[in-house]
Structure formats: structure tokens, C-alpha cells
Amino acid sequence: MKKLIIAVSFVISFYSYAKSSSPIGVFDSGIGGMTVLEKMLTIDNFDNVTFERKSDGRPDFEGESFIYFGDQANMPYGDYAAHGKSEYLKRLIVADAEFLLSKEAKSLVIACNTATAWGLTLVRERSAKDDVETTGVIEAGVRSALTEPTAVNASGGFTIGVMATPGTIASSAYERTVKEQTKKMGVTGKVLVFSQGCAGLADAVEAGLVDAEKIAVENFRALKAKADAAKEPLRVVILGCTHYPFVLDALQNEAPNVKFVDPSLATAEECYLSLKNKGLLSKNKKSSLKVFISVPRKDLDKKFLDENGSLTRECKYGRDINDKTLWTEVKPYTSVDAAKNNFISRALPAVSKMLKGENK
Ligand code: DGL
């Protein structure tokens, strides 16, 4: 009997060690989710030995392996809703999760607001079957924004601005979440959410265009005009797309007194706490990162491709839920093109180091 107990506890501890060494799966439609990954690689809000909430000079995710997937071939995700293709988008989002689960991910992070807005429930249902928890970015972003003292308005309620993809805004996910959270907090004052769907901004960031900053500022001005028209001072704006922290400097320059909230910090904390509660934080010493992207399938008819070799917009947004064609394939992201590399290393030094294999 004693031997059996020893054998069973040996198997259990071996299983939990193996599971804690599995990777954390992070996904987005492109490089935007790397802004969340950067926070996960650098955050130090907890003591790694006692798990108390206090910095100890060691990254909280020390020793973790990460698998990042960017569904570049199908992006921008933010445009599917406007084409009436939200059901197809949901299928893409679940496929992203399936890919990471097939790589034995122990936890999933949807590092994309649009995918969180349209697919969080579905991905949670799917990952629960593998006993894997999923963290999204929207609740985390709202919780952070509501801790900002300047978000409190004259009536004792909250005034929050949201810049996001047209698809995220169309889902009303931010508005709904702000209303839910403030209700839970027992807020009785006015709760105002001003939203701006920033068409073209995520794709401009993805392409590394200087135009991205211009588009960001124009959209911020349009958002501010909505608050001005309602005579409400706008002091807190959520960057509701993971591509937007890349243009934070331009936005901050335009509006130095506005607090732009990046949900990635709270998202990283949420994922950390979920792993801690399940006893799944890695016991390893060295972190690692593997990046995968989707590309159009090599044997695809050229008529579906544009001059850059990407799926044409007609093709992307013409597909519907019954479409059985396999349009894309996944490949490891071995080398980053020079323009994107510059862009990433400027804004995301920790990710950039890992991409270059300098994670010693
Ligand atoms: N990064 C994604 C987000 O946070 C969206 C980009 C896209 O439209 O694909 O919403």
C-alpha cells in the first residue's frame, strides 16, 4: 500500500512538473500581441519565492517558455465585422487557440482585443476541455482604467475613452465591460464611454508605416471631439488594440494630460495569478520564445494574392463560415524583415532580445 502511495505521488509530481514546463501560448492577428508579450517578459510585481505582491528584482515569468502565434495572413481582424463576417472571424480565433493547444500550451493569452471581443467565450470553452485557462485583454484594460483617479467624473461616475479596431467597437465589448464593472463597484454616478473605431490603424502599424502615427492622432482627435461635444473632459483613454502601444509616443505628444491605458500589464498579472493558483508557474531557469505566423498557402492560385503576396481583401472578407478551403499555413517566424525588426527592437527590447536568441 505504502509503495502504491509513493508511486502515485511520484506520477503526480512528475505530471505537474511536466505541465509547469509547458509553454504559455499567446496569440494576436499580427505583431500587436508582442506588446503584451513584452510586459509578460519584463513584469516584476510579485516575489518569485513567496508569491507576495512585491517586486523582487526578478521577472515574474522567469524561466517560462512562450509560444507566440500571429495570424498575419488573415489580419486585420478588426475589419471582419464590417463585412458581416464575424462568424468566420470566430472560426479563425478558435483555430489560433487550437494551434497553441496542439503545442501543449498550459495557459492561453488572447493578446488581441478584437479576438477577445468576438472569441473569448469560445476559446475559454475550448481550452477548458484541456484544463487550460484563457486570459483576454478587455476586462484587464477596463479594470486598469477604472483605477485611474482622473477617470472619475464630476458626478462621481466614470468617463472613459476607448480607441480600438472598428470590429472591437462594433462588438460593444468595452462599453459592456465598463458598465458591468462599474455596476459591481456600486457606482451611482454617470458612466460614460466614448469610443473610436480606428480604421486602418492596426494594419498601418503592422506595415511599420510612419503614417500610423498620423492615423492614430487623427483618431484621437475624433474621439476627443465626441467628448467635447458632450462637454465631458476626457482624461483616460484605453488603447483597446494591442497594436496601438506602438504609437503611444505620438498620442502622448498630442495629449500630454491624457492617461493612455495599455491593458497589457493587467493582462500579464492576470495570467501570472492564474498559473500561480494552479501551481503551474515554471520551475525552470531559462525562458524561451518560439514565434509562428500564418502565411497564404504556397499552392494558392495567384488570383487570390495581392502585389505583396498577401491574401487580397476581396478574398479575406469574402469568405464565410461554410468555406472549407484551406487558405493559409503556419510557419516558424525565423527572420523578421529589417523594417519590422527596427520597429520591434525600438518599442519591445525584451521581445527583440528573445527573437535574436539572446535570452541567456
Ligand atoms: N491587435 C488586434 C487588437 O488588439 C487587432 C488588429 C487587427 O485588426 O487585426 O484588436
Side-chain angles (χ1 to χ4, degrees):
M1 186 63 181
K2 204 171 158 195
K3 273 189 188 156
L4 182 69
I5 294 172
I6 294 173
V8 170
S9 42
F10 178 76
V11 170
I12 292 173
S13 47
F14 178 76
Y15 173 78
S16 86
Y17 177 76
K19 188 139 192 209
S20 68
S21 299
S22 298
I24 299 171
V26 180
F27 72 89
D28 178 43
S29 60
I31 58 167
M34 287 188 176
T35 59
V36 179
L37 188 59
E38 177 76 14
K39 282 289 182 319
M40 296 182 81
L41 292 170
T42 51
I43 174 182
D44 172 22
N45 287 353
F46 297 90
D47 183 305
N48 290 19
V49 176
T50 63
F51 307 122
E52 275 171 275
R53 185 180 275 280
K54 77 172 169 56
S55 145
D56 63 351
R58 287 164 61 189
D60 297 333
F61 287 90
E62 189 176 58
E64 296 290 351
S65 303
F66 293 91
I67 296 200
Y68 184 90
F69 178 59
D71 191 14
Q72 279 181 357
N74 294 304
M75 78 104 46
Y77 277 6
D79 290 355
Y80 283 86
H83 289 86
K85 295 293 160 58
S86 307
E87 291 306 311
Y88 192 81
L89 174 63
K90 288 181 192 169
R91 201 170 100 183
L92 293 174
I93 298 164
V94 174
D96 298 342
E98 291 279 4
F99 171 72
L100 293 170
L101 291 170
S102 76
K103 301 275 176 209
E104 308 295 333
K106 64 179 173 182
S107 177
L108 293 184
V109 175
I110 309 184
C112 173
N113 292 261
T114 319
T116 302
W118 291 97
L120 179 64
T121 311
L122 288 171
V123 172
R124 280 197 170 143
E125 273 167 22
R126 171 60 192 90
S127 68
K129 290 188 186 148
D130 290 12
D131 192 23
V132 167
E133 285 187 9
T134 298
T135 307
V137 274
I138 294 183
E139 270 186 25
V142 169
R143 268 190 278 109
S144 303
L146 295 176
T147 61
E148 290 298 330
T150 53
V152 178
N153 60 32
S155 73
F158 286 89
T159 301
I160 307 273
V162 181
M163 292 173 73
T165 66
T168 298
I169 300 300
S171 75
S172 306
Y174 266 104
E175 222 172 308
R176 207 173 42 242
T177 310
V178 170
K179 299 257 153 80
E180 278 163 13
Q181 300 278 333
T182 47
K183 197 165 165 207
K184 268 195 208 150
M185 290 159 73
V187 171
T188 50
K190 278 190 292 180
V191 175
L192 300 165
V193 180
F194 295 98
S195 302
Q196 177 69 18
C198 308
L201 180 50
D203 4 349
V205 168
E206 190 76 22
L209 296 179
V210 245
D211 269 8
E213 298 196 330
K214 206 172 120 233
I215 300 174
V217 169
E218 281 165 9
N219 275 285
F220 170 76
R221 288 182 186 156
L223 174 68
K224 188 168 176 304
K226 292 175 194 169
D228 288 350
K231 299 197 169 29
E232 279 293 327
L234 188 64
R235 301 189 199 97
V236 172
V237 174
I238 300 176
L239 296 179
C241 170
T242 53
H243 281 75
Y244 300 175
F246 282 109
V247 288
L248 174 62
D249 289 353
L251 287 168
Q252 204 64 84
N253 213 16
E254 167 72 14
N257 299 324
V258 169
K259 170 76 191 175
F260 291 96
V261 174
D262 175 356
S264 57
L265 185 64
T267 305
E269 279 195 2
E270 199 173 304
C271 174
Y272 173 87
L273 290 171
S274 136
L275 287 171
K276 187 208 103 181
N277 293 339
K278 291 187 88 182
L280 286 180
L281 285 165
S282 171
K283 291 151 189 83
N284 300 329
K285 287 275 163 291
K286 208 175 136 213
S287 298
S288 66
L289 169 65
K290 283 196 182 124
V291 179
F292 294 87
I293 54 166
S294 62
V295 291
R297 271 186 50 191
K298 271 197 288 299
D299 52 355
L300 215 57
D301 195 313
K302 294 277 173 293
K303 70 175 180 218
F304 298 120
L305 303 177
D306 66 15
E307 66 282 6
N308 303 316
S310 308
L311 294 178
T312 60
R313 288 185 71 85
E314 293 72 33
C315 166
K316 270 186 223 174
Y317 303 111
R319 301 173 292 182
D320 67 27
I321 192 74
N322 300 314
D323 187 324
K324 297 279 181 293
T325 317
L326 269 181
W327 296 96
T328 61
E329 58 194 19
V330 175
K331 68 166 206 185
Y333 190 57
T334 41
S335 61
V336 196
D337 67 73
K340 211 170 260 180
N341 211 359
N342 266 339
F343 202 49
I344 294 176
S345 58
R346 209 168 5 107
L348 313 175
V351 170
S352 176
K353 245 172 122 178
M354 296 281 273
L355 283 172
K356 290 184 201 142
E358 293 166 7
N359 50 321
K360 309 278 179 311

